[in-house]
Amino acid sequence: GYSQIPEVGIALSAKMANINGVFKGIALLDLDTEKARKYTDCKDVKESSGFASEFSYPLWPCFKAGELIFAASAVVGALISYVDADSDDVPSVSPSNKLMGITGTCLADGTEIIMDQDQASAVNMFGVATAFNSNGWRLWGNYTGAFPAVTDAKDMWMPVRRMFNWQGNTFIQTYLSKVDDPMNWRLVESIVDSENIR
């Protein structure tokens, strides 16, 4: 409920690039629906908010479940957790084009938003994920906040960035106990062999 505030969103993205000085993550950021009232506003609001990090995943608008209105980041966070759990906790599958179990999209004030797939794809081209209804409401978008300014695959695609983050974080956690051991070829080979097997 606070990530739409530019200072909060930027701070979250910065923290995701360097968690505890070691790890990396992805910040789920909501665009301010008071400023982005229609899909064509998303580009300007994203840019003016400074949501341009490869460690961010900007979202628009809010999502509804019955009469309840949720920040998109809350629903997408749950969807990402579900998709990851269904993939043995490896973030190798994109949450985009997955059913979300919502009943609609709206602004924070409850104003209904309806987009077709072309309009949702236009929002994606701004580096913002959204939702549209195609046999159920689906998350739509694979770009990080760095897109379209950045076109390096590891930084522009959200699932690729998440896999790089996960691989790096897992490597650090797995081999942290080896830090400060005497460096020799046997240690290096054991780490390389263990990682290749994994």
Side-chain angles (χ1 to χ4, degrees):
Y2 296 98
S3 68
Q4 76 278 3
I5 301 167
E7 294 81 6
V8 174
I10 291 168
L12 286 170
S13 297
K15 292 295 182 186
M16 291 298 104
N18 190 9
I19 302 167
N20 199 31
V22 180
F23 302 108
K24 297 185 182 341
I26 297 283
L28 305 178
L29 306 179
D30 298 293
L31 294 189
D32 188 341
T33 62
E34 289 182 22
K35 296 176 183 170
R37 297 197 59 82
K38 54 189 184 299
Y39 79 96
T40 53
D41 297 335
C42 291
K43 179 182 187 295
D44 291 337
V45 172
K46 177 195 165 200
E47 289 173 358
S48 66
S49 297
F51 296 170
S53 170
E54 66 270 25
F55 299 102
S56 70
Y57 188 53
L59 301 154
W60 181 85
C62 298
F63 298 151
K64 289 179 72 170
E67 296 301 313
L68 298 174
I69 298 173
F70 296 95
S73 57
V75 176
V76 172
L79 176 65
I80 288 172
S81 296
Y82 176 80
V83 171
D84 289 353
D86 203 37
S87 302
D88 296 324
D89 293 325
V90 177
S92 59
V93 178
S94 172
S96 182
N97 200 22
K98 302 292 186 287
L99 292 171
M100 292 191 291
I102 61 173
T103 58
T105 57
C106 64
L107 303 177
D109 65 12
T111 303
E112 187 174 27
I113 298 289
I114 298 176
M115 291 183 290
D116 60 24
Q117 186 173 352
D118 285 343
Q119 292 167 327
S121 293
V123 172
N124 286 174
M125 294 312 294
F126 306 141
V128 178
T130 189
F132 78 99
N133 192 353
S134 176
N135 295 321
W137 288 91
R138 298 172 181 279
L139 180 65
W140 196 246
N142 264 327
Y143 294 121
T144 67
F147 184 82
V150 173
T151 57
D152 183 339
K154 72 175 176 40
D155 294 326
M156 70 182 259
W157 298 110
M158 197 273 285
V160 175
R161 177 74 264 160
R162 290 186 69 233
M163 272 303 294
F164 269 84
N165 292 351
W166 177 82
Q167 177 62 33
N169 295 343
T170 303
F171 185 90
I172 290 166
Q173 287 181 314
T174 303
Y175 302 107
L176 185 63
S177 63
K178 304 289 186 193
V179 171
D180 293 335
D181 282 358
M183 180 54 68
N184 57 52
W185 281 110
R186 189 168 306 173
L187 175 62
V188 172
E189 287 178 355
S190 75
I191 292 172
V192 169
D193 289 347
S194 296
E195 191 62 16
N196 284 335
I197 290 168
R198 190 179 72 78

